[in-house]
Amino acid sequence: MRRTVIAGNWKMNMTPSQTKAFIKELSPMVKGRDKCDIVLCVPFVDIAVAAEAAEGTNIKIGAQNIHFKESGAYTGEISADMLKEAGAEYVVIGHSERRQYFGETDETVNLRVKAALAAGFKVILCLGEVKEQRLAGITDEVVSMQTKLDLAGVSEDQLSRVIIAYEPVWAIGTGLTATPEQADETCGVIRSVIGKIYSAKASEDIVIQYGGSMNDSNAAELLSKPNVDGGLIGGASLKTDKFTAIVKAAN
Ligand code: PGA
């Protein structure tokens, strides 16, 4: 049985003091909701505060990016050691906003994935098609290619620490959600690619989330689909009541 993983992606929101207050408020609200894993992926400067506030709760903390070199002249980047010491357990890699605005490619995504896995992190690998690709009917090809390129050189053993977040770019932050059928179908395509490049067991075991305007009113239906094992949630993860409602939908 696959675990359901509900992960918040705060993006560039929340200061350290806001982070502390948020987790203090959230933790009693999601206490005992243990049928899913709960993760908050927060800005770098919030990680240490978040990890401390989440200690002893069922909330896990993640980062939103990681660099692939151990250290050195990479101004503005953050290494695996830094993230680990700060208290991050998960790391989001390849988010479409990184790909769109910061020049991230499948090649750099792959380097980051490999570095994060080698350092012991759990990876939330984001991929998904843009609107033009969906309209052109090439969604399956796009997500298949991204899955293969982004996971190149990742062993089946390491894959057990990879979660894939299928995020149609046209659904992110737009209020447009993929229909539960579209989400299920494309998550299923990704699952079958995993079956081809790894094994039937790997395809059965891999956790695949849906992301893109998931909220308290559509989560239950999306999560009820067999190929959708959780959600990566942006906007709705910034409010404790909305995020809790999604956690409850997963329970
Ligand atoms: P959204 O963001 O829920 O605000 O659409 C999802 C994401 O970008 O991970």
Side-chain angles (χ1 to χ4, degrees):
M1 259 310 266
R2 294 189 290 271
R3 290 281 295 168
T4 301
V5 182
I6 300 296
N9 172 17
W10 281 3
K11 310 192 179 188
M12 197 174 69
N13 293 289
M14 303 268 203
T15 65
S17 60
Q18 290 168 333
T19 300
K20 193 172 171 183
F22 184 99
I23 294 177
K24 208 173 156 208
E25 188 177 305
L26 179 70
S27 49
M29 295 168 80
V30 297
K31 194 173 173 201
R33 299 279 172 185
D34 293 330
K35 289 216 176 79
C36 68
D37 292 339
I38 303 169
V39 187
L40 292 177
C41 299
V42 305
F44 292 135
V45 295
D46 297 336
I47 292 172
V49 167
E52 198 186 328
E55 220 179 291
T57 75
N58 54 345
I59 302 167
K60 308 273 198 325
I61 303 303
Q64 299 173 11
N65 197 7
I66 184 171
H67 197 258
F68 38 87
K69 295 284 187 183
E70 278 173 26
S71 63
Y74 303 99
T75 303
E77 290 290 332
I78 308 279
S79 76
D81 280 353
M82 295 169 191
L83 293 178
K84 231 189 248 176
E85 197 168 315
E89 194 181 325
Y90 289 74
V91 58
V92 171
I93 299 178
H95 191 277
S96 68
E97 286 149 18
R98 301 290 322 163
R99 295 179 191 253
Q100 245 182 317
Y101 308 136
F102 302 101
E104 198 81 66
T105 63
D106 286 313
E107 193 184 347
T108 55
V109 168
N110 176 245
L111 289 172
R112 291 181 207 273
V113 167
K114 285 189 289 192
L117 290 170
F121 287 95
K122 295 182 179 124
V123 166
I124 300 178
L125 166 63
C126 303
L127 49 87
E129 82 287 2
V130 300
K131 188 172 156 204
E132 293 71 23
Q133 293 167 330
R134 175 149 295 260
L135 292 176
I138 56 169
T139 297
D140 295 1
E141 286 91 329
V142 170
V143 299
S144 301
M145 198 173 72
Q146 288 175 325
T147 304
K148 288 178 189 165
L149 292 172
D150 297 351
L151 291 175
V154 171
S155 71
E156 182 158 345
D157 183 45
Q158 289 178 316
L159 191 72
S160 63
R161 283 184 282 118
V162 175
I163 293 166
I164 295 180
Y166 164 57
E167 300 205 302
V169 180
W170 48 271
I172 295 177
T174 56
L176 291 173
T177 315
T179 64
E181 292 69 31
Q182 284 172 326
D184 188 50
E185 191 189 333
T186 310
C187 289
V189 168
I190 296 166
R191 194 175 298 291
S192 77
V193 173
I194 294 295
K196 278 184 204 132
I197 53 182
Y198 293 97
S199 66
K201 182 178 187 309
S203 119
E204 189 53 43
D205 289 350
I206 190 149
V207 171
I208 304 181
Q209 300 173 313
Y210 166 78
S213 300
M214 186 185 273
N215 58 41
D216 45 330
S217 44
N218 60 26
E221 213 189 333
L222 286 160
L223 294 170
S224 74
K225 291 293 172 191
N227 281 305
V228 179
D229 308 319
L232 184 60
I233 298 121
S237 73
L238 295 168
K239 295 269 181 288
T240 53
D241 54 345
K242 288 196 160 58
F243 190 66
T244 300
I246 299 172
V247 168
K248 284 185 181 162
N251 274 259

